[in-house]
Amino acid sequence: MEEKQSISEDSDPHSPLIELAWFSLVSSCIKILLIPSYRSTDFEVHRNWLAITHSLSLPNWYFDTTSPWTLDYPPFFAYFEFFLSLFASLIDPIIVELQEGLNYEANSVVFFQRMTVIVSDFFLHYAIYQITRKLDPEKRRFIWVLVIWSPALLIVDHMHFQYNGLLLGLLIMSISALEEGKDLLGGFIFAILLCFKHLFAVAAPVYFVYLLRHYCCGGLVRGFWRILTMGTVVMAVFAVAFGPFLYHGQIQQVIHRMFPFGRGLCHAYWAPNFWVFYILFDKILAFLLRKVGFKTQRAGASFTGGLVGDSSPFSVLPQITPLVTFTMVLLTMLPCLFKAWKDPQPRKIIRWIAYAYTCGFVFGWHVHEKASLHFVIPLAIVSMNDGNEASHYFMLSTVSCYSLFPLLFEAREYPVRVLLLLLHSILMWYGFSSRFSGPVVLSASKPSRKRNAESTSERTWATVSEDSRFGIGWIGMSYLLGLVVVEIWGQFLHPLFLKDKLPFLPLLLISVYCAMGVFCSWIWQLTWIIMSP
Amino acid sequence: MAFELLFTASYSHPILSTSTAVIVRQQSSYRPLGLTTSMVLPFKQVLQATTALFNSQVLNLQLINLSFNRFFPWPHRKVSSILKFIRYVRLIDRLCQLVTFGGGKKRDRWSRKEYGDFEAQRHWMEITINLSATEWYRNSTSNDLSYWGLDYPPLTAYQSYIHGQLLKLFLPESVSLFTSRGHESYLGKLLMRWTVLSSDSLVFFPAVLYFIVVYIRLSNRRINIAWLIAMVLLNPCLIIIDHGHFQYNCISLGLTVGAIAAILSNRELVACALFCFALNHKQMSAYFAPAFFCHLLGRCLRCRNPFLEVSKLGLVVLGTFLILWWPYLHSTEAFLGVLSRLAPFERGIYEDYVANFWCTTSVLFKWRKLFTVQSLKLLSLSATLLTSLPSMVQQLRAPSNLGFLYALVNSSFSFYLFSFQVHEKSILLPLLPSSLLALEEPLIFGWLNHFAMLSMFPLLCRDKLSLAYISLLALFTLLYFAPGGRQDPRKTRHPSTLRLFIMAVLVLSSLVLHVIYLTMHPPKRYPFLFEAIIMLLCFSQFALLAVYTNTKQWTLSKKSTWMDKEKKQL
């Protein structure tokens, strides 16, 4: 009821912080309603980490194998779990019991863990406020709608169960600092983020090049001094994170846990990336060769079997090793590294980082479909710049959210996930089209934008030309219609016609179809980066 | 319409608010975890921890106190006052421990009630698809009426039949005769939930949209339609009762909304038919009957040929009833058999702790002991009619659109407050017309909604829906006070400080009641103390609101209002 009073009091001048509170509280209400919904094994993973960090001493954290869900995140995340476990033990001591707590599913643990995610999301909300606080109100609110009410975050964090909100909050904080020219702070926060979840390291080359050119410049002495400062700060963060393990001489074990290369090229469910095409091409080629009469190595159903395989047996095409994927990611990232080297502009850093994550997603090793959040959420912040951006973001966000559908496979969540995506798409369509099409809206919102551009010298947004309107064209429209067809096939027609045959065909279809969308988005981002002055 | 505030998009667009409503409905239909003992435990734990801390500090402080006394005599008073404070805190803790936390054993009384509405609805599906229509209301070897016998009018039976067929298609064992009793499989529950969700979106949503269309046409000023839609569709009481507790109120209420919209658009015959449908889905819709009756009669009396108009309406009503009751009209015995099922007088004048007149005053007068059931029936009937009389007379004398909406609130209020055998859930009925009036009376609507939720709180706690309750209430409050949500051109006058203060106190006390109800045990002598306090608070608010809406309806007739001005132009 406090929000009741606060909002009613200041309902006229609309203080941005109160608006932010309104947005995040509305989303929290929805999240609370989602507490009893489906949760994946990640829930038990995080509960087990609570137990490990609480009941074992620090040197044993990375050695414990009581549960198959061993600790495989960097130390800061372990510290974070330790912090949470202090409260968990107050609420229900069984949560943090290593043995008794295994697969513990009482109301208390569900409630507690879900609430920690909901509360940690406020960090993301604040970060979004930080980065958008200088934009004009209309734009700002819409970005909030895109991020705070993001269905993808709801699905991954609040149903599937993860702490992406907190991590993305850190990422956006760091980007916000970079955009404002506080390079040291940006690097510092990014170092912290890396010690929370090392998967974010994909953007490290961009950070490295950008900071080297933007921060460590201006003469030999000054540049060297700044390199030293930055290096010290980053090393200090890493020392705090890894120091205790270094002290106990366990650094090898920690690294081993963090990088399990034993896993296959693709996750259980194929993330919609380049390797889906590769595998599919291999399958088709093998099939054709067999028809012609060549003898090929039978690959078996290891890709479609839904298991986390440890090898990637291709029958025709060359095998893919982690090193290959690593090189490919770096190679595809080169254009943006080159741009960052040549002209490190703060206002472009967000695209470069998003592009780096896109490269990591499209060409990476053992990519999770959830990783698409890493670039979809940051791109939301620049989606309101012009009509083309908006069109691109509309497609990307829809596709990436749709690609998360297989995470929630239970019938109970079906209406929720469909309606969440529909609501999100309608909201985006409505918001983008009211801003980027129709002369009335354009002329009405022009003065405010100009005023804003003057007030923020740092951020000179490209002014919207009249012809860059929001619209996805007939190609985009037919692609989205195809999405509907894929969904209808997977949900209704497949069980009707094929019964139990080819059980993974619907998933395969979703992967391939979404991979096309993500690939297009990657190309779009690449051209944007190359073409931008 | 220029939408300057994009962020209100969540509900500044009808489609959006509608789909939000669907999402919220589906989510609340999870039958979420309640705030059970284990969840209240944290408070206890924290308290114990702080106590331990305090205890250790007390020891320390006593030592310090001694040393202080020895060396510096003057701060002695200060330290001892701190000690006093700490003792006070410990006393509170003792008290808390005395009443003990959690609600484990307290609600055992309710487990006696087997299953509840969910099983009732499922059982009706089982009965209707396996027996012939004439058997539905008759006690027989295959239809044991004492086990959740069908006691709603025929339309509910038909609806159960349709839904039963659907369930049979996907999960035959969930509706097979006899063997399916108490069936609660995952798929069975899910399908049942989806029948409510679908009937909500097929009946209630279109009816509300119809009402909104008519409303826009009638009001010539700029109004925020989307806010109104959000208020009507995201009404937490309806959502939590239909999709949490499990009932099909959305159908009868949707039909009523349709009838109201038809009346506002001057289609009296359609309105009659729709209202008869509503009446035949749940007899509770009769709460609105006086308003409908008097408004339509008043309209007819003002026509050139009143008799013709009345007989037209009468024919429609008769025809609708004839169609719906067709299977039971072949003999008087069958007809009376159904009728007797619909009026369960044996249950007594009130149930549990409903915030109406009889239950509240029973604290002072033991109505059940003072009077026989017969005289109580008569008493409640006359009280109901007497209290609804003013609004009826007003509608007869000067039927107006706005007045009709107020009359609906008033007649349903007088039924809720004074009629025989009222259930907590019946507060949905006064809530519906007041939600339609949300743009006219935002304060009344918000207030009524808050206390309606509170009045159902004990019931919902029994259903373990407290988590959904909290989030739905918070969501509603947020939407109600959304920045830029209710752009009313007529600047509502600021309430005086005194009124604001009283309101704040009432809201605060209701919130405190929530917390107390969740966390504490009542004293042994008065096991239902908290329910009684909630009931008293809610009753006082409902009675005040009823008085207000009655006077409002009467003062309306003096000055012509926007809706009727428009009508004259038409």
Side-chain angles (χ1 to χ4, degrees):
Chain A
M1 227 31 75
E2 297 109 54
E3 65 263 18
K4 184 171 166 177
Q5 259 114 41
S6 60
I7 286 175
S8 62
E9 269 168 24
D10 304 47
S11 60
D12 250 12
H14 294 326
S15 147
L17 265 174
I18 285 174
E19 271 176 21
L20 182 81
W22 188 83
F23 272 97
S24 48
L25 284 174
V26 166
S27 74
S28 302
C29 286
I30 301 284
K31 289 164 191 169
I32 290 175
L33 279 177
L34 282 172
I35 284 180
S37 65
Y38 159 82
R39 48 188 185 272
S40 71
T41 46
D42 275 353
F43 183 82
E44 170 63 14
V45 171
H46 285 94
R47 194 218 52 77
N48 185 45
W49 293 355
L50 284 178
I52 288 178
T53 48
H54 192 264
S55 49
L56 294 177
S57 60
L58 189 131
N60 294 322
W61 286 359
Y62 283 91
F63 281 97
D64 178 75
T65 47
T66 317
S67 155
W69 315 118
T70 51
L71 185 58
D72 55 5
Y73 272 26
F76 270 167
F77 203 87
Y79 299 158
F80 173 64
E81 292 279 359
F82 175 72
F83 173 69
L84 291 182
S85 72
L86 294 179
F87 300 97
S89 63
L90 278 182
I91 281 182
D92 188 351
I94 304 178
I95 298 177
V96 290
E97 288 282 335
L98 206 51
Q99 294 289 346
E100 285 170 50
L102 282 181
N103 298 315
Y104 189 51
E105 286 195 333
N107 281 352
S108 57
V109 63
V110 175
F111 186 72
F112 172 75
Q113 293 221 71
R114 292 276 197 205
M115 280 319 270
T116 56
V117 185
I118 292 172
V119 171
S120 69
D121 255 11
F122 289 130
F123 188 70
L124 170 69
H125 301 169
Y126 182 71
I128 281 292
Y129 169 75
Q130 271 288 323
I131 202 167
T132 57
R133 68 185 192 280
K134 284 180 184 161
L135 300 178
D136 68 284
E138 193 189 332
K139 222 168 171 175
R140 184 174 61 205
R141 283 186 207 112
F142 195 70
I143 292 169
W144 291 355
V145 168
L146 292 181
V147 177
I148 299 180
W149 294 353
S150 157
L153 266 181
L154 272 181
I155 288 176
V156 175
D157 274 14
H158 301 276
M159 294 164 94
H160 181 83
F161 199 84
Q162 276 193 341
Y163 288 91
N164 285 300
L166 176 74
L167 304 172
L168 287 168
L170 277 171
L171 178 67
I172 285 173
M173 277 289 215
S174 150
I175 294 174
S176 156
L178 290 186
E179 276 197 347
E180 285 166 14
K182 298 171 192 160
D183 288 346
L184 194 63
L185 183 66
F188 172 68
I189 297 175
F190 187 68
I192 293 177
L193 175 65
L194 288 189
C195 295
F196 261 97
K197 192 172 179 177
H198 49 301
L199 281 180
F200 281 92
V202 180
V206 176
Y207 266 91
F208 179 74
V209 172
Y210 175 81
L211 289 177
L212 196 66
R213 292 287 296 163
H214 191 260
Y215 182 68
C216 313
C217 54
L220 199 66
V221 179
R222 189 157 168 259
F224 186 73
W225 174 246
R226 285 198 153 187
I227 287 181
L228 214 64
T229 328
M230 181 63 86
T232 320
V233 166
V234 172
M235 284 326 285
V237 171
F238 276 86
V240 170
F242 290 93
F245 301 97
L246 204 63
Y247 173 76
H248 291 287
Q250 301 174 341
I251 207 70
Q252 257 191 332
Q253 169 73 6
V254 174
I255 301 289
H256 175 71
R257 278 281 174 85
M258 277 163 52
F259 297 98
F261 274 114
R263 295 183 186 177
L265 175 64
C266 288
H267 190 51
Y269 153 70
W270 304 356
N273 62 7
F274 174 77
W275 303 117
V276 173
F277 296 133
Y278 192 82
I279 296 167
L280 202 68
F281 188 59
D282 178 70
K283 292 260 166 197
I284 294 171
L285 219 57
F287 179 75
L288 287 180
L289 284 179
R290 231 174 292 135
K291 278 269 157 164
V292 174
F294 282 95
K295 258 205 171 163
T296 54
Q297 192 187 341
R298 262 221 178 271
S302 63
F303 291 115
T304 44
L307 293 162
V308 184
D310 32 44
S311 63
S312 16
F314 292 98
S315 11
V316 185
L317 295 175
Q319 301 294 321
I320 300 298
T321 56
L323 193 67
V324 175
T325 60
F326 185 70
T327 337
M328 278 196 73
V329 171
L330 263 186
L331 274 179
T332 48
M333 227 188 274
L334 271 182
C336 98
L337 295 182
F338 181 70
K339 282 273 178 184
W341 179 270
K342 242 181 98 182
D343 183 17
Q345 297 172 26
R347 67 184 180 87
K348 280 189 187 162
I349 184 72
I350 191 161
R351 319 291 184 108
W352 292 332
I353 291 169
Y355 174 73
Y357 284 127
T358 316
C359 290
F361 183 78
V362 174
F363 299 102
W365 177 265
H366 194 80
V367 174
H368 284 244
E369 60 280 8
K370 290 156 264 179
S372 63
L373 280 173
H374 298 179
F375 54 94
V376 174
I377 296 293
L379 279 177
I381 293 155
V382 287
S383 67
M384 284 302 272
N385 286 0
D386 69 58
N388 288 330
E389 296 267 357
S391 317
H392 163 246
Y393 187 76
F394 179 79
M395 295 299 287
L396 175 66
S397 180
T398 310
V399 169
S400 80
C401 179
Y402 180 72
S403 74
L404 295 174
F405 270 24
L407 284 179
L408 309 173
F409 52 85
E410 278 192 35
R412 199 170 63 155
E413 274 80 19
Y414 187 69
V416 173
R417 68 185 200 197
V418 170
L419 282 168
L420 274 178
L421 177 58
L422 271 182
L423 189 66
H424 181 64
S425 299
I426 295 171
L427 262 173
M428 278 199 295
W429 181 270
Y430 173 71
F432 285 140
S433 58
S434 70
R435 179 149 180 131
F436 295 117
S437 54
V440 186
V441 178
L442 263 181
S443 60
S445 56
K446 231 172 189 173
S448 62
R449 193 180 305 128
K450 250 180 202 161
R451 194 185 58 226
N452 194 59
E454 280 161 17
S455 65
T456 57
S457 54
E458 189 64 44
R459 234 182 261 198
T460 45
W461 299 104
T463 44
V464 182
S465 61
E466 296 292 335
D467 57 353
S468 94
R469 289 196 177 172
F470 171 70
I472 53 171
W474 64 270
I475 300 176
M477 206 48 124
S478 45
Y479 179 78
L480 288 186
L481 274 178
L483 219 59
V484 177
V485 172
V486 168
E487 177 64 15
I488 290 175
W489 168 263
Q491 285 298 325
F492 305 106
L493 301 181
H494 186 93
L496 205 66
F497 291 133
L498 292 174
K499 298 276 179 337
D500 294 335
K501 275 185 274 176
L502 301 172
F504 289 98
L505 185 66
L507 289 184
L508 177 77
L509 270 178
I510 293 176
S511 285
V512 173
Y513 202 78
C514 291
M516 287 179 353
V518 173
F519 205 70
C520 286
S521 159
W522 175 72
I523 292 172
W524 190 92
Q525 288 183 52
L526 182 63
T527 29
W528 192 94
I529 282 167
I530 293 173
M531 303 301 270
S532 69
Chain B
M1 220 165 148
F3 291 97
E4 353 170 273
L5 300 173
L6 259 178
F7 75 104
T8 53
S10 68
Y11 55 90
S12 68
H13 197 278
I15 306 169
L16 296 176
S17 50
T18 323
S19 38
T20 320
V22 181
I23 289 187
V24 171
R25 262 147 224 253
Q26 160 76 18
Q27 289 182 357
S28 65
S29 77
Y30 281 170
R31 196 135 188 151
L33 337 151
L35 285 174
T36 46
T37 328
S38 55
M39 265 169 225
V40 183
L41 216 64
F43 298 105
K44 193 180 177 182
Q45 295 278 358
V46 170
L47 214 65
Q48 278 175 349
T50 39
T51 324
L53 203 72
F54 271 130
N55 283 350
S56 59
Q57 270 181 355
V58 167
L59 283 176
N60 286 343
L61 276 173
Q62 269 164 349
L63 285 177
I64 295 167
N65 203 359
L66 285 174
S67 50
F68 258 107
N69 283 345
R70 198 168 299 155
F71 298 110
F72 314 97
W74 60 268
H76 165 78
R77 201 174 292 156
K78 218 175 192 175
V79 175
S80 69
S81 71
I82 293 172
L83 275 175
K84 231 179 234 168
F85 170 74
I86 287 164
R87 272 188 207 125
Y88 180 63
V89 170
R90 290 177 66 200
L91 195 76
I92 293 176
D93 176 51
R94 278 283 159 68
L95 274 174
C96 290
Q97 278 175 348
L98 271 180
V99 292
T100 66
F101 285 79
K105 276 171 190 159
K106 175 179 164 191
R107 274 134 211 156
D108 265 358
R109 188 173 80 102
W110 309 108
S111 56
R112 189 157 43 82
K113 256 184 172 177
E114 276 177 345
Y115 306 119
D117 281 327
F118 179 86
E119 173 60 12
Q121 299 284 353
R122 199 210 50 73
H123 180 66
W124 296 349
M125 290 179 195
E126 169 197 333
I127 291 295
T128 46
I129 64 163
N130 287 308
L131 304 176
S132 68
T134 46
E135 296 270 311
W136 290 349
Y137 291 92
R138 210 165 50 200
N139 206 0
S140 63
T141 49
S142 46
N143 184 12
D144 178 15
L145 282 185
S146 62
Y147 182 82
W148 300 113
L150 194 53
D151 53 5
Y152 276 9
L155 193 60
T156 295
Y158 302 144
Q159 168 245 317
S160 297
Y161 178 78
I162 295 169
H163 284 153
Q165 292 292 356
L166 266 174
L167 249 71
K168 197 178 172 186
L169 195 68
F170 292 103
L171 196 69
E173 63 265 31
S174 69
V175 283
S176 57
L177 199 58
F178 298 126
T179 54
S180 67
R181 284 193 182 178
H183 180 97
E184 280 198 357
S185 65
Y186 176 80
L187 189 62
K189 274 198 267 188
L190 199 64
L191 285 172
M192 290 282 283
R193 291 284 186 196
W194 282 354
T195 60
V196 190
L197 199 65
S198 61
S199 42
D200 207 349
S201 47
L202 288 177
V203 180
F204 191 69
F205 284 28
V208 170
L209 293 184
Y210 177 35
F211 172 82
I212 298 291
V213 169
V214 175
Y215 193 87
I216 296 171
R217 214 183 296 150
L218 282 177
S219 61
N220 41 10
R221 63 204 166 83
R222 250 191 76 207
I223 47 174
N224 195 337
I225 296 306
W227 185 80
L228 182 62
I229 298 182
M231 285 299 104
V232 180
L233 288 186
L234 287 167
N235 189 337
C237 298
L238 182 61
I239 293 177
I240 207 163
I241 287 294
D242 271 14
H243 302 273
H245 180 80
F246 204 89
Q247 277 196 336
Y248 289 91
N249 290 303
C250 50
I251 298 180
S252 64
L253 291 182
L255 291 168
T256 312
V257 173
I260 293 168
I263 280 191
L264 295 189
S265 58
N266 295 323
R267 296 193 183 94
E268 283 94 351
L269 298 181
V270 179
C272 260
L274 281 175
F275 186 63
C276 289
F277 274 114
L279 214 52
N280 272 308
H281 189 266
K282 273 198 151 186
Q283 58 268 55
M284 239 157 39
S285 306
Y287 284 22
F288 298 125
F292 270 96
F293 177 74
C294 292
H295 181 78
L296 288 174
L297 192 65
R299 272 193 180 189
C300 291
L301 291 178
R302 296 175 136 207
C303 288
R304 216 168 297 154
N305 196 343
F307 185 71
L308 182 73
E309 296 293 322
V310 172
S311 53
K312 267 201 309 201
L313 293 179
L315 271 180
V316 170
V317 172
L318 222 62
T320 325
F321 266 86
L322 211 66
I323 295 167
L324 290 174
W325 284 68
W326 188 250
Y328 311 102
L329 292 177
H330 58 274
S331 71
T332 42
E333 180 234 359
F335 177 75
L336 288 176
V338 179
L339 216 56
S340 69
R341 288 292 306 158
L342 301 187
F345 284 116
E346 70 275 9
R347 285 210 229 163
I349 189 159
Y350 52 81
E351 236 181 62
D352 300 347
Y353 278 82
V354 57
N356 76 351
F357 175 77
W358 305 112
C359 195
T360 312
T361 48
S362 71
V363 178
L364 301 174
F365 308 100
K366 298 289 168 219
W367 297 104
R368 282 177 181 166
K369 284 176 189 161
L370 286 174
F371 298 96
T372 60
V373 172
Q374 272 306 322
S375 50
L376 270 182
K377 262 190 236 175
L378 209 68
L379 201 65
S380 62
L381 182 71
S382 46
T384 313
L385 285 182
L386 211 68
T387 45
S388 59
L389 209 58
S391 84
M392 285 165 78
V393 170
Q394 195 272 338
Q395 278 305 293
L396 273 177
R397 271 181 48 187
S400 66
N401 282 335
L402 202 56
F404 171 57
L405 290 178
Y406 277 102
L408 286 168
V409 181
N410 291 331
S411 77
S412 48
F413 251 138
S414 59
F415 268 84
Y416 177 81
L417 292 176
F418 293 104
S419 75
F420 197 83
Q421 234 290 301
V422 177
H423 200 272
E424 287 108 316
K425 284 165 273 183
S426 308
I427 194 62
L428 284 176
L429 290 131
L431 200 56
L432 178 78
S434 72
S435 72
L436 300 180
L437 274 170
L439 274 175
E440 293 295 317
E441 296 281 359
L443 185 67
I444 294 297
F445 170 59
W447 201 245
L448 177 58
N449 209 339
H450 183 82
F451 283 97
M453 281 297 266
L454 176 65
S455 76
M456 292 191 293
F457 187 58
L459 174 85
L460 297 169
C461 274
R462 264 176 267 148
D463 288 343
K464 295 191 173 168
L465 284 169
S466 26
L467 207 59
Y469 176 97
I470 291 165
S471 69
L472 281 177
L473 188 61
L475 191 64
F476 174 81
T477 315
L478 285 169
L479 287 177
Y480 183 84
F481 287 104
R486 190 177 69 241
Q487 291 153 341
D488 202 346
R490 300 171 306 166
K491 198 75 188 164
T492 42
R493 61 202 153 77
H494 239 59
S496 64
T497 330
L498 180 71
R499 234 175 83 192
L500 220 57
F501 176 72
I502 294 172
M503 280 167 69
V505 166
L506 282 170
V507 168
L508 214 67
S509 60
S510 72
L511 292 182
V512 169
L513 264 178
H514 282 121
V515 177
I516 289 178
Y517 190 84
L518 274 179
T519 51
M520 290 188 187
H521 267 312
K524 282 221 171 71
R525 271 184 66 195
Y526 308 105
F528 298 106
L529 179 70
F530 300 145
E531 279 93 343
I533 294 173
I534 288 177
M535 172 190 77
L536 275 171
L537 184 63
C538 290
F539 173 71
S540 63
Q541 298 311 309
F542 293 156
L544 272 176
L545 287 174
V547 170
Y548 173 80
T549 47
N550 266 302
T551 43
K552 190 72 196 258
Q553 191 192 342
W554 270 89
T555 46
L556 267 183
S557 58
K558 283 173 190 153
K559 47 181 185 213
S560 67
T561 50
W562 55 271
M563 268 184 161
D564 302 293
K565 224 187 283 169
E566 194 68 17
K567 213 175 80 188
K568 270 172 211 156
Q569 284 169 10
L570 288 172

